Amino acid sequence: MAGLLWRGVCWALFCVLAFIVLYLLAIPILGLLPAHRHWKPPTQGEVTVWLITNGVHASLVFPANALGVDWFAWLPPQQTLARTRGKAIPANFDHVSFGWGDRRFFLNTPRWRDLKVSTALWAASGLDATLMHVEYLPEPIAADDAVPFQLSRAQYVQLAAYVQSAFAPDAAGRPQQIAEHSYGDFDVFFEARGHYNLFFTCNEWVRRALSDIGVRVPLWSPLDRPLFWQLRAGDARG
């Protein structure tokens, strides 16, 4: 009996280790393999969208109002903490960033030094709800962590619809704000649809958004860097 139990434990450990190894191998392999390999940005794109990252978490940045999509009307900047502190949104804050992710991770990790193992494991489990992090900001500056790319009208409208569909609305169909939770004066959290897990991360949410409109992306991207590799590779062909 003891022998059977020991073999069972060894087999379970082997399966866990094999899963970890395969998962870690899949990240660079699938990150280097492109979807929409032949994508090129339109020569006369109608709107500029940005892919940005804080080093771990990728987000999409849109103009506040372009091609009939008015983000300020849908998500008024007056919902930010700046309102309660008597601050106005600066005139050059004419863009909005969107990042989807695990609820507990977002709310309990305002800085990376605040990250706890328990928070990371809970996020990976896929049991928690999700939030959308919305930030009002000036147009980014091109850098290693910020890449602009052009989209056609049809692509942009479809991408905006993807982002809007990720919000979990209230009974009246309005985005549900998480009151008094933010990282600063000009950002807000909203209830979102879906569940974060090891296979569908914040970065994979961005990857699918871009893949749906035909932009060059990795085949899978739980991390942020492969998104930038593939986007730059496609943009270089433009």
Side-chain angles (χ1 to χ4, degrees):
M1 186 68 179
L4 286 174
L5 180 61
W6 175 245
R7 284 196 293 272
V9 170
C10 289
W11 177 248
L13 288 174
F14 172 79
C15 290
V16 170
L17 290 174
F19 171 80
I20 293 173
V21 170
L22 290 173
Y23 185 87
L24 294 177
L25 285 175
I27 292 173
I29 292 173
L30 296 180
L32 291 171
L33 294 175
H36 311 299
R37 178 188 299 272
H38 301 295
W39 170 79
K40 294 187 293 185
T43 55
Q44 294 182 338
E46 296 192 64
V47 66
T48 300
V49 173
W50 291 78
L51 175 68
I52 65 171
T53 181
N54 63 6
V56 176
H57 176 100
S59 300
L60 294 168
V61 179
F62 299 152
N65 190 348
L67 303 183
V69 181
D70 188 346
W71 294 108
F72 278 13
W74 199 58
L75 305 167
Q78 290 75 20
Q79 298 176 104
T80 64
L81 284 180
R83 171 201 59 194
T84 62
R85 297 172 180 172
K87 296 182 179 180
I89 296 288
N92 67 328
F93 277 41
D94 54 1
H95 282 68
V96 187
S97 76
F98 296 91
W100 176 95
D102 179 77
R103 181 188 182 94
R104 184 178 299 187
F105 195 104
F106 263 146
L107 297 183
N108 295 337
T109 317
R111 299 159 300 186
W112 289 113
R113 67 188 184 194
D114 299 319
L115 178 60
K116 298 178 181 177
V117 173
S118 59
T119 301
L121 291 176
W122 182 251
S125 72
L127 298 174
D128 203 5
T130 53
L131 298 178
M132 184 70 75
H133 184 219
V134 176
E135 184 176 5
Y136 305 90
L137 70 171
E139 184 171 17
I141 297 172
D144 288 344
D145 59 358
V147 176
F149 55 101
Q150 296 289 311
L151 294 179
S152 67
R153 174 182 291 271
Q155 286 175 315
Y156 180 69
V157 170
Q158 184 178 341
L159 182 60
Y162 175 96
V163 171
Q164 290 174 336
S165 71
F167 285 77
D170 62 17
R174 296 184 298 263
Q176 300 180 76
Q177 182 181 352
I178 308 299
E180 304 305 320
H181 279 286
S182 69
Y183 294 155
D185 287 340
F186 302 112
D187 67 299
V188 193
F189 286 102
F190 294 90
E191 299 284 359
R193 290 188 171 105
H195 293 275
Y196 179 107
N197 57 57
L198 281 173
F199 301 98
F200 191 71
T201 66
C202 52
N203 300 307
E204 177 62 11
W205 179 83
V206 171
R207 189 203 71 83
R208 292 193 188 183
L210 298 180
S211 181
D212 282 354
I213 60 172
V215 173
R216 178 169 172 148
V217 290
L219 290 181
W220 180 57
S221 190
L223 303 182
D224 61 338
R225 280 298 130 192
L227 292 167
F228 286 81
W229 299 340
Q230 297 296 349
L231 186 59
R232 285 194 172 100
D235 196 36
R237 295 164 51 88

